[in-house]
Amino acid sequence: MMCLESDGQGTGGSSQDCIPQAGEGRLETLSGRMNHVTTPLDIKSADLESASSTPTVPKKQPNLRRARVAAAGILSVGNVLNYLDRYTVAGVLLDIQQHFGVKDSGAGLLQTVFICSFMVAAPIFGYLGDRFNRKVILSCGIFFWSIVTFSSSFIPKQYFWLLVLTRGLVGIGEASYSTIAPTIIGDLFTRNTRTLMLSVFYFAIPLGSGLGYITGSSVKQVAGDWRWALRVSPVLGIITGTLLLIFVPTSKRGHAEQLKSRTWVKDMRDLVRNRSYVFSSLATSTVSFATGALGMWIPLYLYRAQVVQKTVEPCKFAPCSTKDSLIFGAITCITGFLGVILGAGATKWCRLKTQRADPLVCAVGMLGSAIFICLVFVAAKSSSVAAYICIFAGETLLFSNWAITADMLMYVVIPTRRATAVALQSFTSHLLGDAGSPYLIGFISDLIQQSTAESPLWEFLSLGYALMLCPFVVVLGGMFFLATALFFLEDRASAEQHESCSDPFTAGNCSDSEEASIL
């Protein structure tokens, strides 16, 4: 009951006029008490008053966040399997050479064909990923490369060309996954949470690569046949593809009307004009160059270093020891995990200090990595342990920028163009990076050996001199990240403005020219 004091005029004294409160059924006055009759008009009025006074709070789905995290986990597991399958062949490469009777050039052809088919297919899947159901494309890609890899383990020894062909087909299947999966994570999460989830996703690169070396050599030893190493990842791939179809949601990309008036040529032209995207893509190419060359040659380089130190005997007959490959694989797994955590943590902290934190953290990581990579070649002459320590530090810093680079792409590229952007960046990084770096290092090493006396010492030194190209390329990558920092804020603001204009609820605040620029 709420009562109002009157001033007493016209009544001869003070009085109280009482007004019923919500939920009371009677009305009190000076003359007495009477029952209040509820009418439909009263009910409607009360409902309107309640609706206006109580703010509407949307009900949150308690399981939505867990479902998104589970989807990101499944996508990350699929990425692990992609790289595990890719580097399982490297773990049994010597056995493949012996079985098919091919030399080093033939063995190297397996990786070259894989990367070339990957490069060609990536832009195609980027186009499809921006326009069609992404999780269906991902699942089909996983099922495809799983079946092809499993079938390749039954190829007879006289059909080496068929094995080369299957590796090319596997590259097509894996291109669909590497191109589209990061864009789904980018649409499921925002800001620091997105950085964390992309960090987990890109941790799969070193983890899967290291597990590929380990799986190839370990399964071969257990089963007594290298073919069984090629049958592990396909089984896991089929399971992961099925889980992906069931549990990964179909996330929103952007305004559907945009897709009808956009063309692939328009997407490519706008991406080339995005300076942050261009410089970060060039920086990613330098990372790919270094990781491709180091991953191919460092185990052999350290083996030759131990021969020079007389701690191991030269390998005259196969099978040779796989100890260095196993150690390098384990280091790659650990440094990948630490690098991802270091990069995500450093970026989160630096964002409190500067809005250009993402490219600056990448630049510092690249420049620091170059120093430790240089020290590898100094330490390897006298101590393999010291060389492994330098590799550990250098790889940790090098791997710290993978997830950050992907996160930067999500910031500076509009949602409906991200799959195309990832595809183009993947194509560029492979074309300028690991597609040619392993062969280039081997070619330089052979040139040096041809001008010197044949000896274990010069085999070691020539490969070391060739690998010295890697730290200089990494420094160049650091410069590209610094250039990215100059344009990062401008390009991020432009992408946010375009995304806001594409939203039907906020498009009215955009000018006609701004709306036209996103189409």
Side-chain angles (χ1 to χ4, degrees):
M1 178 71 66
M2 181 177 69
C3 298
L4 300 178
E5 292 283 342
S6 66
D7 58 5
Q9 295 179 2
T11 60
S14 63
S15 66
Q16 286 186 332
D17 293 334
C18 299
I19 302 173
Q21 297 296 312
E24 292 183 337
R26 292 184 293 188
L27 178 66
E28 291 190 9
T29 64
L30 289 174
S31 59
R33 182 178 296 172
M34 63 179 292
N35 291 332
H36 176 70
V37 180
T38 303
T39 66
L41 184 61
D42 293 329
I43 297 175
K44 183 176 180 180
S45 177
D47 290 340
L48 291 174
E49 181 180 358
S50 176
S52 62
S53 61
T54 305
T56 302
V57 180
K59 294 182 179 180
K60 296 183 179 180
Q61 301 181 17
N63 295 327
L64 180 60
R65 180 175 178 82
R66 279 181 286 180
R68 290 178 174 178
V69 172
I74 294 173
L75 292 171
S76 299
V77 170
N79 206 28
V80 170
L81 293 178
N82 274 341
Y83 282 87
L84 186 149
D85 178 80
R86 185 182 304 186
Y87 285 95
T88 296
V89 172
V92 294
L93 190 59
L94 181 59
D95 298 272
I96 292 176
Q97 286 183 278
Q98 291 178 338
H99 180 79
F100 290 98
V102 296
K103 297 182 179 180
D104 291 346
S105 58
L109 191 62
L110 294 173
Q111 183 71 0
T112 300
V113 170
F114 175 90
I115 294 297
C116 289
S117 64
F118 188 101
M119 289 191 304
V120 173
I124 298 174
F125 284 112
Y127 176 87
L128 296 176
D130 278 337
R131 289 157 176 82
F132 301 100
N133 192 307
R134 289 178 289 184
K135 73 174 185 177
V136 172
I137 298 175
L138 291 183
S139 299
C140 291
I142 292 180
F143 293 147
F144 179 74
W145 71 250
S146 298
I147 294 172
V148 172
T149 299
F150 189 82
S151 302
S152 67
S153 65
F154 299 97
I155 296 176
K157 62 174 61 178
Q158 63 268 29
Y159 294 106
F160 177 72
W161 64 268
L162 190 56
L163 180 64
V164 175
L165 176 62
T166 58
R167 295 312 296 172
L169 295 176
V170 170
I172 295 175
E174 293 190 11
S176 67
Y177 198 92
S178 300
T179 301
I180 299 174
T183 66
I184 297 180
I185 296 178
D187 291 337
L188 290 176
F189 304 95
T190 58
R191 299 188 179 277
N192 289 331
T193 305
R194 182 172 64 191
T195 303
L196 176 61
M197 293 303 169
L198 285 174
S199 298
V200 175
F201 179 82
Y202 282 100
F203 167 57
I205 297 179
L207 177 61
S209 302
L211 290 178
Y213 286 107
I214 296 171
T215 300
S217 56
S218 301
V219 173
K220 178 195 71 175
Q221 293 177 355
V222 173
D225 187 352
W226 66 271
R227 298 169 183 268
W228 282 98
L230 300 181
R231 298 167 186 169
V232 175
S233 57
V235 175
L236 300 176
I238 295 295
I239 296 173
T240 303
T242 304
L243 293 175
L244 193 151
L245 272 178
I246 298 173
F247 293 106
V248 173
T250 303
S251 55
K252 178 183 176 182
R253 260 178 303 218
H255 197 30
E257 293 302 319
Q258 289 180 235
L259 303 179
K260 298 180 181 179
S261 56
R262 283 175 43 235
T263 64
W264 184 79
V265 175
K266 175 72 165 59
D267 286 346
M268 299 295 285
R269 184 171 67 247
D270 289 342
L271 288 174
V272 171
R273 293 174 178 174
N274 189 322
R275 291 169 293 183
S276 296
Y277 173 77
V278 170
F279 281 118
S280 64
S281 296
L282 291 174
T284 304
S285 299
T286 64
V287 176
S288 180
F289 183 99
T291 55
L294 296 174
M296 181 74 176
W297 294 111
I298 280 294
L300 179 60
Y301 175 73
L302 294 178
Y303 163 75
R304 291 180 179 178
Q306 295 172 58
V307 171
V308 172
Q309 298 168 15
K310 301 186 184 306
T311 57
V312 299
E313 293 293 328
C315 181
K316 301 293 184 181
F317 305 99
C320 299
S321 173
T322 60
K323 181 188 71 172
D324 293 298
S325 295
L326 290 173
I327 295 175
F328 184 74
I331 289 177
T332 302
C333 291
I334 298 172
T335 55
F337 176 72
L338 294 178
V340 164
I341 293 179
L342 176 65
T347 303
K348 184 177 181 180
W349 181 80
C350 290
R351 281 174 181 169
L352 302 176
K353 310 294 182 181
T354 174
Q355 296 184 36
R356 305 179 193 269
D358 298 63
L360 292 178
V361 169
C362 290
V364 171
M366 292 287 282
L367 297 176
S369 175
I371 296 174
F372 285 102
I373 293 175
C374 285
L375 293 177
V376 170
F377 309 114
V378 177
K381 297 178 181 179
S382 56
S383 173
S384 297
V385 175
Y388 277 125
I389 293 175
C390 294
I391 291 172
F392 189 96
E395 282 196 338
T396 299
L397 293 173
L398 191 63
F399 293 158
S400 66
N401 64 63
W402 269 339
I404 308 173
T405 304
D407 201 21
M408 282 193 293
L409 185 148
M410 303 299 168
Y411 277 119
V412 301
V413 178
I414 61 175
T416 53
R417 199 173 286 147
R418 285 173 181 169
T420 300
V422 173
L424 180 60
Q425 189 174 85
S426 177
F427 176 85
T428 304
S429 64
H430 286 300
L431 179 65
L432 302 179
D434 56 356
S437 63
Y439 176 78
L440 179 61
I441 297 300
F443 179 76
I444 295 174
S445 177
D446 287 343
L447 283 180
I448 297 175
Q449 289 187 53
Q450 290 175 5
S451 60
T452 59
E454 183 177 350
S455 66
L457 177 61
W458 273 109
E459 289 181 355
F460 163 70
L461 292 177
S462 63
L463 184 55
Y465 292 147
L467 286 170
M468 280 295 292
L469 178 63
C470 291
F472 290 101
V473 173
V474 171
V475 170
L476 181 63
M479 299 297 105
F480 284 137
F481 276 125
L482 290 177
T484 303
L486 297 177
F487 308 104
F488 179 68
L489 296 183
E490 177 184 347
D491 292 330
R492 185 179 68 178
S494 177
E496 290 174 349
Q497 179 65 35
H498 286 181
E499 188 172 355
S500 175
C501 290
S502 67
D503 191 332
F505 294 103
T506 60
N509 299 326
C510 303
S511 64
D512 293 340
S513 60
E514 288 172 335
E515 290 180 356
S517 66
I518 68 175
L519 298 178

